[in-house]
Amino acid sequence: DAKTTQPPSMDCAEGRAANLPCNHSTISGNEYVYWYRQIHSQGPQYIIHGLKNNETNEMASLIITEDRKSSTLILPHATLRDTAVYYCIARGAGNNRKLIWGLGTSLAVNP
Amino acid sequence: DVKVTQSSRYLVKRTGEKVFLECVQDMDHENMFWYRQDPGLGLRLIYFSYDVKMKEKGDIPEGYSVSREKKERFSLILESASTNQTSMYLCATTRKNYGYTFGSGTRLTVV
């Protein structure tokens, strides 16, 4: 699976959009981009995933560039409860085994 | 929703004790994983299993063993606990092309 690179930390004002970037320049054609988040002292929680097209669900939107070398997770109206560490992972289709977890981005949503 | 239940939220054990960490899932997921998470090191894979009685070593299997006698249950065993095994332990499950579902974690302290 491709390695991903994320900024170690970001800040966002409550109510504003939080845009979390991820670089995955070595991603291959069959690798999906997954996003998870981990709130302090809990297990990571799945947010969203995509292959080529932009995706949206009740939690977030995922924008993947046309060359698929980077993506952005968007939390449209961040709340204090969105303060967490966000992980971006590239995962090959059918690869249900080893994933490479980086250190993620620690997002602080400020009042 | 898939639920992944870890038997204990907090555990304190003595050096040299044999420790069992249990993980149970309530869906029919083939793949189960044990990770440990330490500050600055992120999630590191200890062992995973893709079927009953099947197991594969992850990145840091030393000092650990696992057991998967039933599909829904995956146990992590510390044969002789040591202080450097003090950590947060996370169990996760997945099936093909789906996101991971994590348990709430077990914070183990070895004294």
Side-chain angles (χ1 to χ4, degrees):
Chain A
D1 293 327
K3 190 172 184 251
T4 61
T5 306
Q6 300 175 255
S9 63
M10 292 182 66
D11 285 299
C12 176
E14 190 178 16
R16 305 296 293 267
N19 298 299
L20 291 92
C22 179
N23 284 321
H24 30 80
S25 57
T26 61
I27 198 168
S28 61
N30 69 346
E31 286 183 310
Y32 288 76
V33 179
Y34 280 77
W35 283 84
Y36 294 80
R37 75 177 182 186
Q38 186 174 25
I39 294 169
H40 183 62
S41 294
Q42 296 181 24
Q45 174 193 23
Y46 166 81
I47 302 172
I48 199 167
H49 74 283
L51 183 65
K52 293 185 206 177
N53 300 320
N54 299 337
E55 303 286 346
T56 295
N57 64 20
E58 66 279 1
M59 289 181 72
S61 295
L62 174 60
I63 309 297
I64 302 174
T65 58
E66 196 166 333
D67 62 6
R68 301 208 330 116
K69 292 184 186 299
S70 66
S71 61
T72 301
L73 180 76
I74 300 172
L75 309 177
H77 305 286
T79 70
L80 298 179
R81 284 179 292 185
D82 292 322
T83 293
V85 177
Y86 288 77
Y87 298 96
C88 165
I89 294 169
R91 175 183 177 185
N95 175 13
N96 298 297
R97 304 183 181 184
K98 294 177 66 170
L99 298 184
I100 302 173
W101 294 81
L103 295 179
T105 296
S106 179
L107 174 69
V109 180
N110 304 309
Chain B
D1 275 355
V2 176
K3 268 187 89 172
V4 179
T5 304
Q6 294 186 228
S7 52
S8 304
R9 192 83 174 91
Y10 298 95
L11 268 182
V12 180
K13 295 291 181 181
R14 294 195 181 278
T15 301
E17 274 193 79
K18 190 168 186 175
V19 181
F20 293 85
L21 302 183
E22 305 287 345
C23 176
V24 178
Q25 51 141 332
D26 67 358
M27 288 290 287
D28 203 27
H29 282 192
E30 302 90 3
N31 305 294
M32 297 187 76
F33 305 79
W34 274 107
Y35 287 89
R36 66 177 280 178
Q37 186 173 31
D38 301 286
L41 296 177
L43 277 85
R44 294 182 291 167
L45 182 63
I46 305 171
Y47 267 97
F48 62 101
S49 168
Y50 49 91
D51 204 347
V52 175
K53 297 193 187 295
M54 306 300 283
K55 61 185 179 186
E56 283 194 32
K57 292 180 180 178
D59 299 316
I60 51 162
E62 297 78 20
Y64 303 94
S65 62
V66 290
S67 170
R68 190 151 180 217
E69 296 297 318
K70 293 185 178 181
K71 194 169 189 176
E72 67 270 18
R73 186 180 295 269
F74 191 35
S75 303
L76 179 70
I77 303 151
L78 286 66
E79 296 290 342
S80 176
S82 64
T83 54
N84 63 12
Q85 292 179 309
T86 291
S87 186
M88 167 73 96
Y89 289 88
L90 289 158
C91 174
T93 76
T94 190
R95 61 185 172 99
K96 188 174 180 179
N97 296 332
Y98 279 72
Y100 278 38
T101 300
F102 282 83
S104 298
T106 296
R107 189 166 291 282
L108 173 68
T109 302
V110 183
V111 298

